Amino acid sequence: MRAATAFGVALVVALAGFACERAGQSAGSEKTLPSGSESRVLSDPANPPKPLTLTYDRSKTSKPVVGTAVDATAEGLPANKTLDLVWGTVDGGWVIEDYFHFRGKKYTETERTLAQVTSDANGALKTRFAIPEDFGGVHEIFVRDGKTTVAQGGVEVAQTFEMSPKEGPVGTPIELRVNGLGWRTMESTWVVNWDNQQAGYVSAASSHGSAVARFRATGPVGEHEINVMTGWTGQAYLNHEQAPNAYLPVPQFSFRVTPGRAATPPFYADPYQPQPVPASTGVNGAAAKIAPMQGPVSTKASLNVTGLPANTPVSLVWGSYAGSRVSGNGFDPVEDELMKVTTTADGRIATPITIPEDLGGRHQIDIRSGDKTLATTYFVIETSIVSMTPTSGPAGTRVTIHLKGVGWTEYDNIYVATYDNAYMGYACGFNTRGDVVINFTAAGSPGVHIIDFYPGIYQGPQDQAQQLYRLPQLTYADDHPGNKIPALRFAFEVTPGSPRLTGDTR
């Protein structure tokens, strides 16, 4: 216990001197904006804050992590005083502008009160707190009397990685739970290598350092090695011992593939999360509502509008975008009239609507009389799997996957494919209004092979140091920028037999 305490004191003494400096640094292109600085100004500059000593039980963890119990002590404080114990951190994450532009990451300094504590009659403080779920890296800790900082220290929060399950047949879903990923560029991103092949990257930029990476087991029966490598570019940094961030962990896991096949369909989509949409708007008290508010193309929805002019012909207008980011011609908003209806004598509309085949993501539905928009509501198109054909055959078999409702924004207009947890390429849906057909040939020895489509970021600012573009994001469910679109899962069974001859398929 003495060694643990000594380590804790040494850690805090080392950090206290530069915690302010590191907390204020911007890393790469991540812009840190000052905020709340007035609360850090001492009322009496002649009385600088006392050292806040932070110790923890090193026998339980070599470095403090989320949940670690930390003892905080200080002396020379106001006697018998109720004080605030304050945790310094940042808020922020991915930045989206105008719904479709991806602008990288941005963070702002902030603070939160962990607890109220009381000094004794001699002005000594002794309390304990648990490190909150938050970004890893250096955090300042303040003891405040109102706006005056009377004691100050710092702690560096390390990362944790837990993988489950540890065995199962081909296709078994695997979760890698991470806590304490940093917000700074060099501490923000890890990469999962499955049998020395890159499956995708792990991030928690908008989820305060905690997320779950999801991928699936593949390969022959037996042990398979999973290395979780640091890689701020979204690619594994192999000589990590010589990297500037060599202090970061590089976890290793083993997964045992057992005989058989996971009890999953040949293809399926992970659950779709509810997508955020603006509130419906209307003039002169008009209000529109559509149910459901999201679903795949061809969804049967019900539109109900109230507060419209009585007995008036109106048009229901569907809003979308058309164009291309690579042709040089750009893209523009487009509109299509879904139908004409006439309001009732009390100014209502109640009509079924079939959602048209179009791009995934948010679409605007306007109720118009002539050129005047009377009310607006929104519908979100989900990406859907139309088919995978065939689902089995010998090596060399041509396989076709058909999707509809692929998105168009810079952060959801692509899916990035892996084959047996190895990067294969990406598919884009903007040019064909969300209708996507992917062709490839089956490969590998007889058995089940896993094809997974992950959300990725198509493009963003080119002046940023960190460009995680066109790479599979394994933490898509927790940390994908903008819309939280799901992964799409496929399996192909290579059967025994001679490889099929393939040629130019154009």
Side-chain angles (χ1 to χ4, degrees):
M1 187 66 182
R2 181 178 298 173
T5 301
F7 178 84
V9 172
L11 173 70
V12 173
V13 169
L15 290 177
F18 64 86
C20 291
E21 177 184 350
R22 285 189 63 178
Q25 288 176 348
S26 60
S29 56
E30 296 160 3
K31 299 178 182 178
T32 307
L33 306 180
S35 72
S37 57
E38 69 281 354
S39 67
R40 300 190 183 191
V41 177
L42 297 174
S43 300
D44 183 2
N47 295 307
K50 306 295 183 181
L52 179 66
T53 301
L54 307 170
T55 59
Y56 64 97
D57 186 353
R58 193 182 180 189
S59 67
K60 294 182 178 180
T61 178
S62 60
K63 292 184 178 181
V65 299
V66 170
T68 295
V70 177
D71 291 309
T73 59
E75 296 179 349
L77 308 182
N80 300 314
K81 188 75 171 180
T82 299
L83 307 164
D84 291 323
L85 186 67
V86 178
W87 176 263
T89 185
V90 296
D91 274 337
W94 306 118
V95 177
I96 304 297
E97 291 181 357
D98 301 324
Y99 181 70
F100 58 86
H101 283 311
F102 173 73
R103 297 305 194 196
K105 294 185 284 186
K106 185 178 291 185
Y107 295 94
T108 303
E109 290 184 12
T110 189
E111 299 170 351
R112 55 175 135 155
T113 300
L114 293 177
Q116 285 194 321
V117 295
T118 304
S119 60
D120 64 16
N122 297 316
L125 172 68
K126 183 177 182 180
T127 189
R128 172 175 284 193
F129 68 94
I131 291 179
E133 187 168 342
D134 200 356
F135 293 111
V138 173
H139 291 265
E140 295 172 296
I141 302 171
F142 308 94
V143 179
R144 294 253 173 80
D145 181 7
K147 289 188 176 183
T148 301
T149 299
V150 294
Q152 180 176 340
V155 64
E156 184 163 16
V157 178
Q159 297 73 32
T160 60
F161 300 80
E162 296 180 1
M163 192 187 83
S164 64
K166 298 297 173 60
E167 66 174 21
V170 169
T172 297
I174 301 172
E175 292 188 346
L176 177 70
R177 295 183 175 272
V178 301
N179 290 105
L181 267 62
W183 65 274
R184 298 172 178 86
T185 297
M186 299 296 288
E187 302 173 353
S188 65
T189 309
W190 271 252
V191 176
V192 173
N193 275 9
W194 176 280
D195 286 345
N196 292 329
Q197 300 181 116
Q198 182 166 314
Y201 72 89
V202 178
S203 65
S206 287
S207 52
H208 272 269
S210 297
V212 179
R214 294 172 170 86
F215 50 99
R216 295 196 293 168
T218 188
V221 170
E223 298 293 330
H224 295 265
E225 299 304 315
I226 299 98
N227 292 322
V228 186
M229 313 284 288
T230 58
W232 64 275
T233 62
Q235 299 161 329
Y237 197 105
L238 297 182
N239 61 323
H240 55 87
E241 298 91 345
Q242 299 167 312
N245 56 356
Y247 56 88
L248 294 173
V250 182
Q252 294 180 310
F253 301 94
S254 181
F255 186 92
R256 180 172 179 79
V257 171
T258 58
R261 176 176 180 171
T264 56
F267 53 86
Y268 64 97
D270 283 356
Y272 235 101
Q273 299 185 45
Q275 304 295 313
V277 296
S280 297
T281 59
V283 298
N284 299 324
K289 182 178 180 181
I290 189 168
M293 296 180 66
Q294 72 178 58
V297 300
S298 302
T299 292
K300 306 297 183 183
S302 297
L303 177 68
N304 288 273
V305 191
T306 59
L308 299 174
N311 303 313
T312 301
V314 296
S315 296
L316 308 185
V317 179
W318 175 265
S320 186
Y321 279 80
S324 170
R325 292 188 172 89
V326 297
S327 66
N329 297 324
F331 56 91
D332 295 291
V334 294
E335 295 181 339
D336 295 299
E337 185 180 69
L338 296 179
M339 65 177 72
K340 293 183 184 293
V341 294
T342 300
T343 63
T344 61
D346 57 355
R348 295 176 179 269
I349 293 174
T351 185
I353 290 181
T354 299
I355 300 303
E357 295 195 8
D358 204 346
L359 297 160
R362 189 178 78 199
H363 293 268
Q364 183 169 311
I365 302 174
D366 290 332
I367 295 86
R368 288 188 187 158
S369 176
D371 294 332
K372 184 178 181 181
T373 299
L374 304 176
T376 298
T377 190
Y378 299 88
F379 186 90
V380 175
I381 289 183
E382 301 176 349
T383 303
S384 57
I385 303 171
V386 179
S387 63
M388 174 185 181
T389 54
T391 57
S392 65
T397 297
R398 180 180 172 86
V399 183
T400 300
I401 290 175
H402 187 188
L403 311 176
K404 289 190 177 182
V406 176
W408 69 279
T409 68
E410 292 177 345
Y411 51 85
D412 69 1
N413 72 316
I414 64 169
Y415 269 100
V416 187
T418 60
Y419 191 100
D420 287 341
N421 285 335
Y423 182 92
M424 184 165 64
Y426 72 93
C428 178
F430 193 10
N431 194 53
T432 52
R433 294 195 77 166
D435 194 313
V436 172
V437 176
I438 303 107
N439 294 299
F440 62 96
T441 53
S445 59
V448 176
H449 294 265
I450 298 300
I451 304 99
D452 285 329
F453 284 18
Y454 292 102
I457 304 168
Y458 176 66
Q459 68 179 23
Q462 297 300 311
D463 60 349
Q464 296 206 353
Q466 189 175 38
Q467 299 184 14
L468 302 170
Y469 305 146
R470 296 173 290 282
L471 297 172
Q473 184 185 26
L474 303 184
T475 46
Y476 57 89
D478 299 311
D479 191 46
H480 190 65
N483 300 329
K484 298 293 190 298
I485 58 178
L488 310 177
R489 311 291 190 179
F490 304 85
F492 185 91
E493 184 174 4
V494 172
T495 57
S498 301
R500 295 186 179 179
L501 297 177
T502 58
D504 192 336
T505 59
R506 288 176 293 178

